[in-house]
Amino acid sequence: MAGGSGLFISFEGIDGSGKSTQARLLAEALRAKGRSVVLTREPGGSAGAEDIRRLVLEGDPDRWSPETEILLFTAARRDHLEKTIRPALSRGDVVITDRFADSTRMYQGIRRGTGADLRAMVDDLHSRMIGVEPDLTLLIDIDATTGHSRAVARAGAEQRFEDMGSAMQARMREGFLQLAAQFPRFTVIDGARSPEAVAADVLATTLAKLA
Ligand code: ADP
Ligand code: TYD
């Protein structure tokens, strides 16, 4: 837990799974019930981390080595935690983040065959520099082909990862499901339904956690 009396929720899943849509709908539903909610995202969520977001998501796909990328995402997360997440949880707010450390475990931990144990590096740096996990992680699960076509339809300047194609997305999906099987904080939600149907499951899971 990240401290304080609030609840810390993350959304995870492959690109195009519907995380941003569901994070927004959950924030609206909880606010309608009178809860104070901070809706945030990674990379980003604080001024410094948004600056780092531009460095990691824009430009040449080979701009950073995998190791440098792990450092940049973790640096962004540390600033997000210090400036946004911890203060909100201390106030008793619900914090909803669109991605957190599980994204680094997947995207930086498994994606490139460098020979180095990147996943071990991610976990080591996480335990030294971040040291907290969400109270609840909602994995919006969708097949790679659907996710990829949704993400491509929406593509803008932040292309470095979205160019990676559906084979990599399929590996990523499997990796997320393995994490979900490993850590009890996860709930897997079937994302291949209407936004409203997905949102109903997301809200029911969250209310059960808040109760
Ligand atoms: P993510 O944050 O996981 O990348 P988004 O919430 O941005 O996903 O959704 C990606 C695209 O798919 C957006 O254009 C969004 O409007 C659309 N979308 C989101 N949820 C659904 C859904 N349940 N069914 C169909 N399209 C969806
Ligand atoms: P995001 O804006 O959530 O993209 P999307 O809406 O397409 O899911 O995240 C941007 C990209 O950043 C996404 O492709 C995943 C990548 N990413 C990492 O590689 N590592 C990380 O630690 C995080 C938080 C994101």
Side-chain angles (χ1 to χ4, degrees):
M1 287 222 210
S5 55
L7 187 75
F8 182 25
I9 303 170
S10 64
F11 278 86
E12 295 285 358
I14 61 174
D15 294 338
S17 56
K19 296 177 301 300
S20 312
T21 303
Q22 293 303 323
R24 181 175 47 76
L25 291 174
L26 179 61
E28 286 168 8
L30 293 177
R31 283 176 187 141
K33 290 180 182 298
R35 292 293 307 223
S36 267
V37 177
V38 171
L39 175 60
T40 184
R41 67 162 181 188
E42 290 204 351
S46 62
E50 290 288 336
D51 284 344
I52 297 174
R53 179 183 179 98
R54 281 184 283 280
L55 293 175
V56 287
L57 296 191
E58 295 178 21
D60 189 330
D62 297 324
R63 185 176 186 185
W64 308 111
S65 75
E67 289 82 358
T68 307
E69 210 167 88
I70 291 169
L71 290 166
L72 287 169
F73 278 109
T74 308
R77 182 161 306 122
R78 174 77 196 204
D79 195 62
H80 186 207
L81 188 64
E82 289 177 5
K83 306 282 173 44
T84 304
I85 298 172
R86 279 195 199 283
L89 292 173
S90 312
R91 291 192 302 267
D93 294 354
V94 177
V95 173
I96 301 172
T97 184
D98 183 350
R99 296 191 183 279
F100 194 66
D102 298 313
S103 283
T104 317
R105 293 187 174 101
M106 287 300 101
Y107 285 77
Q108 281 65 50
I110 71 172
R111 64 186 292 246
R112 297 182 216 196
T114 62
D117 189 348
L118 297 175
R119 175 61 195 280
M121 269 181 220
V122 170
D123 284 334
D124 185 35
L125 202 56
H126 180 81
S127 68
R128 288 167 191 271
M129 288 296 155
I130 309 296
V132 297
E133 298 294 351
D135 301 304
L136 173 64
T137 298
L138 296 156
L139 174 58
I140 308 299
D141 180 52
I142 197 164
D143 71 90
T145 311
T146 310
H148 188 58
S149 59
R150 283 190 197 166
V152 165
R154 180 208 48 186
E158 295 179 341
Q159 281 283 30
R160 284 193 61 237
F161 293 94
E162 290 177 5
D163 285 341
M164 72 184 159
S166 39
M168 187 57 81
Q169 293 268 49
R171 272 185 65 196
M172 212 66 83
R173 179 197 193 189
E174 287 313 311
F176 273 123
L177 288 170
Q178 281 168 18
L179 279 182
Q182 191 180 351
F183 297 113
R185 66 184 157 83
F186 273 85
T187 297
V188 181
I189 309 266
D190 176 9
R193 296 173 292 157
S194 72
E196 297 74 23
V198 178
D201 278 4
V202 163
L203 182 60
T205 304
T206 305
L207 292 179
K209 191 78 192 179
L210 278 167

